[in-house]
Amino acid sequence: MTVKELLAFEPGATDDLLHSWLGYTEVAGNPDLRYQISKLYSSMDKENIIVHIGAQEPIFNFMNVFLNKEDHVISQFPVYQSLYEVANSIGCEVTKWNIKQGENGWFTDLHELEAQIKPNTKLICLNNPNNPTGFIFTEDEIKEIAEMARKHNVYVFCDEVYKGLELDKIKRPWFADVYEKSVSLGVMSKAYGLAGLRIGWIATKDEEILEKMIKMKHYTSICSSSTAEFLSIVALKHSDEILNKNLALIEKNLEIADAFFNKFSSLFVYNRPTAGPIGFHKMNIKMPIGAFVDKLVDEAGVLLLASDIYAFDGQYFRMGYGRAEFEINLKHFEEYLLTLLKLDVLGNI
Ligand SMILES: Cc1ncc(COP(=O)(O)O)c(C=O)c1O
């Protein structure tokens, strides 16, 4: 979206923007923005919210104020790299809790998660909906994980940056609304598609974490851009409209993808995402997937992410459904595939 398109959602916003003040904003974020964010949750006040630069700053800051090297961390896997690498860099032992390939897409085993908890486990890191698999927990699973964490006195950090893009239209609660010792991570970059604003936030009821993260933010960014905060307020006032628009685009693109994967059903394992704009599919070829995606971008100009980017074993690749030009890009992919199949260079298995 352009600034112009965003401002068009709110009558009078363009004039207000031109008169907005360009001094420092508050360290915890513009109070109006914190209020708009708090309204996304069922049990948060603006005091429970700290605005940050994107989602990456709060991941880094939280891990650094919360973890010590003797702590054990469990991280859902595969996942956005910094959710486990920051803990690794602090010196923590990190155990990966795998999302698994099933007959009907991705699934997780909650018993396995509980079995991984040790006396020094301090944190479980989740990414719900998940990047890269498009997997999402049900509300019952969210509550079960919260209950398990409560029983073992373990904190949960839940990266919920893709929340709001549930393809089954079932709204799940934010983690911070169901568990008092948890932190929810949100951002304008993903579900809202407004990454250039660089506005993210954490929500938690834990006062000690709030206090430590405010202190840490004085060292990393002090405060966000006042203009980006203003534009984020406009976007959040129209949250449902923006999310529905983005969801409609993903649904349209997924229908196109359905037909494509149906046509090439022996070549792929199609894991249709349950939420979010990305899916993680398997390709039944002998050529290593990393070599295939390199060849694809070089020779056809189509970019996919191979599973080795995620340090994940297997012939998987990530495909995105959030762009307007998806259909034409998929067409290029298909034409290229047909050429390779004709030449018989893929080693289809
Ligand atoms: C799951 C997840 N969390 C956090 C981030 C970081 O978001 P941002 O670019 O807003 O800092 C990303 C970005 O790709 C992501 O995929």
Side-chain angles (χ1 to χ4, degrees), residues 3-272:
V3 173
K4 192 174 176 187
E5 283 164 344
L6 176 58
L7 288 170
F9 276 96
E10 178 80 3
T14 304
D15 201 45
D16 290 348
L17 175 65
L18 293 177
H19 291 97
S20 63
W21 182 248
L22 286 176
Y24 279 107
T25 73
E26 293 184 21
V27 179
N30 176 323
D32 292 342
L33 175 58
R34 291 167 79 200
Y35 170 70
Q36 287 299 333
I37 294 169
S38 72
K39 286 204 314 187
L40 300 171
Y41 298 78
S42 64
S43 61
M44 296 290 153
D45 293 324
K46 70 174 176 7
E47 287 71 27
N48 300 108
I49 311 294
I50 305 176
V51 176
H52 285 86
I53 310 292
Q56 182 49 45
E57 183 193 28
I59 294 173
F60 185 80
N61 286 5
F62 169 77
M63 301 292 170
N64 275 289
V65 300
F66 186 73
L67 293 171
N68 295 304
K69 65 175 186 311
E70 57 277 5
D71 296 329
H72 174 237
V73 174
I74 302 171
S75 172
Q76 208 183 10
F77 191 80
V79 82
Y80 182 67
Q81 191 175 10
S82 60
L83 290 172
Y84 59 93
E85 283 299 9
V86 182
N88 255 333
S89 76
I90 292 166
C92 302
E93 184 198 350
V94 178
T95 303
K96 291 171 179 170
W97 177 42
N98 282 312
I99 305 174
K100 294 181 180 146
Q101 172 77 71
E103 295 261 308
N104 299 311
W106 299 98
F107 72 100
T108 51
D109 178 350
L110 298 196
H111 297 296
E112 194 180 294
L113 172 63
E114 186 155 26
Q116 289 176 333
I117 298 176
K118 306 203 247 187
N120 66 334
T121 305
K122 192 159 181 199
L123 183 69
I124 297 171
C125 274
L126 306 172
N127 177 207
N128 194 50
N130 174 262
N131 169 6
T133 59
F135 169 83
I136 186 169
F137 296 114
T138 62
E139 178 164 356
D140 284 349
E141 286 170 328
I142 291 170
K143 288 183 173 158
E144 214 178 305
I145 296 171
E147 210 37 65
M148 186 191 296
R150 198 175 276 124
K151 184 170 115 194
H152 293 278
N153 194 26
V154 173
Y155 278 74
V156 172
F157 183 87
C158 193
D159 175 331
E160 295 168 305
V161 299
Y162 288 104
K163 197 170 173 357
L165 298 178
E166 294 78 13
L167 289 151
D168 58 12
K169 305 279 161 69
I170 301 171
K171 293 248 177 286
R172 281 84 167 162
W174 292 83
F175 217 96
D177 277 329
V178 297
Y179 183 39
E180 56 293 344
K181 289 188 174 172
S182 76
V183 175
S184 275
L185 177 73
V187 83
M188 300 310 296
S189 312
K190 305 295 172 179
Y192 295 94
L194 299 170
L197 291 178
R198 307 308 299 133
I199 292 287
W201 64 86
I202 58 101
T204 182
K205 291 182 183 153
D206 189 292
E207 288 185 6
E208 202 180 321
I209 292 176
L210 286 166
E211 197 187 318
K212 285 184 176 170
M213 287 190 73
I214 280 287
K215 287 185 178 155
M216 183 71 172
K217 202 183 154 191
H218 280 88
Y219 290 95
T220 51
S221 62
I222 302 177
C223 67
S224 297
S225 141
S226 58
T227 309
E229 290 194 330
F230 176 92
L231 292 170
S232 300
I233 294 170
V234 174
L236 287 174
K237 279 187 180 165
H238 298 274
S239 178
D240 287 348
E241 287 154 89
I242 295 175
L243 292 177
N244 289 340
K245 180 170 153 280
N246 292 347
L247 197 54
L249 176 64
I250 296 166
E251 279 170 334
K252 180 174 149 250
N253 287 339
L254 275 172
E255 274 175 30
I256 297 164
D258 289 344
F260 169 85
F261 285 110
N262 200 18
K263 194 158 159 189
F264 294 97
S265 58
S266 64
L267 198 55
F268 299 101
V269 176
Y270 177 37
N271 292 310
R272 199 180 204 273

Side-chain angles (χ1 to χ4, degrees), residues 77-80 84 131-132 280 305-312 318:
F77 191 80
V79 82
Y80 182 67
Y84 59 93
N131 169 6
F280 205 44
L305 285 190
S307 48
D308 46 14
I309 298 275
Y310 285 87
F312 188 74
R318 194 185 90 168

Side-chain angles (χ1 to χ4, degrees), residues 282-296:
K282 192 171 183 184
M283 200 166 179
N284 296 321
I285 52 171
K286 290 213 175 90
M287 182 189 291
I289 194 73
F292 174 76
V293 301
D294 284 351
K295 203 170 151 59
L296 176 68

